[in-house]
Amino acid sequence: MKTKILAILACLLWGSAFAGAKIGFEYTTPLHLSGMRFMLAGLLLIPFLIYQQVDWKSNLKEWRYMLLFGFLQTFIQYGFFFMGLDKVPAAISAVIIGGGPFFVAIMAHFTIRDDRMSFRKIFSIILGMAGIVFISFAKGESIDTDASFYYGIVLLIISNIVGATTNIIVAKNRNRVSPIMLTSFANFSGGLILYIVSFFTEDWYIKPYETEFYIAWLWLSLIPAAGFSIWYSLLKKPEVKVSELNMWKFVVPVAGVILSWILVPGEYPDVYSVSGILIITTALLILQK
């Protein structure tokens, strides 16, 4: 039960990022905001590392592993996600990103011995994807299917595959490093790379921001700091199957939609969104029964 509660908490945190990002994008560019977000997220975890008396010396011996992880998870996965989101309508983007558990389940089936596909798992994935489609197309908009659209689709799919890969890596290296150290190092190093790349690829400049931006920036930084620390701690447990844990990520778009109703002006419930939420809830109940 504790594992399920923590998984839901992490997904609720990730779901809240959509509203925060909308505020942040009003003040700066996507990669620049992402770089600032993840660098601060890495720094915010340092007090927890000190409080838990994590052995820095032994963990930092794995700096190559953590740097590679930061490059894959923070820079590649989230860099491709934001670039893809810039080229693909939000509805279609949500459908693709919402399929993350599907990629994880397939990869886990072929790479982790005791994490195989089952009829119940397949049925839950299909049902969860159906709920994502309901929610996403409720927010749908017209699609301009030019070359950039298909380029964006490819970027989002790569983001999903990389995200699935990092989950498999953590599951197969459960005791290699502290999950909080891994999160801190990966967030800061990947965020630094994003920040540097944004300097050369995006049109932004250092300027004073309004209080609203700093609140959004702080919240967006707390999300990966807490969310990934919880998630990687769960993946370290031998009894936790990576594919089944990732099924809880169907909660992320649900949380994003509900929080948008609450926090974003002009967002309100509709029959498709409510139906999608009910379908996803049913999928999770079938998996966990």
Side-chain angles (χ1 to χ4, degrees), residues 36 40 207-219:
M36 295 175 64
L40 180 57
K207 60 182 178 181
Y209 297 107
E210 296 181 14
T211 304
E212 182 184 50
F213 170 80
Y214 291 107
I215 294 173
W217 176 31
L218 178 60
W219 179 248

Side-chain angles (χ1 to χ4, degrees), residues 77-197:
Q77 181 185 349
Y78 282 94
F80 278 35
F81 169 71
F82 282 110
M83 288 190 294
L85 191 61
D86 185 52
K87 301 178 183 301
V88 179
I92 304 303
S93 299
V95 172
I96 297 168
I97 296 302
F102 175 70
F103 288 95
V104 173
I106 293 175
M107 293 182 68
H109 176 77
F110 290 105
T111 59
I112 300 178
R113 183 176 300 175
D114 62 344
D115 199 339
R116 301 300 185 185
M117 295 287 279
S118 64
F119 175 78
R120 185 175 62 174
K121 193 182 296 183
I122 293 171
F123 182 73
S124 297
I125 290 170
I126 294 173
L127 198 58
M129 284 296 297
I132 297 291
V133 171
F134 265 105
I135 292 176
S136 299
F137 280 99
K139 308 292 180 184
E141 59 187 27
S142 59
I143 303 171
D144 183 13
T145 53
D146 58 8
S148 66
F149 171 80
Y150 296 107
Y151 175 60
I153 290 288
V154 172
L155 292 177
L156 291 172
I157 292 174
I158 294 174
S159 175
N160 254 347
I161 294 172
V162 174
T165 302
T166 55
N167 273 260
I168 300 295
I169 291 173
V170 172
K172 299 188 75 170
N173 295 272
R174 298 181 190 271
N175 299 312
R176 192 165 179 176
V177 295
S178 159
I180 299 179
M181 175 67 82
L182 176 62
T183 304
S184 178
F185 195 101
N187 280 346
F188 184 81
S189 60
L192 180 61
I193 299 172
L194 279 169
Y195 192 88
I196 293 171
V197 169

Side-chain angles (χ1 to χ4, degrees), residues 2-25:
K2 182 180 179 182
T3 296
K4 295 176 183 178
I5 293 172
L6 290 174
I8 292 171
L9 176 60
C11 292
L12 290 175
L13 286 169
W14 287 326
S16 70
F18 295 104
K22 285 185 178 181
I23 296 171
F25 289 155

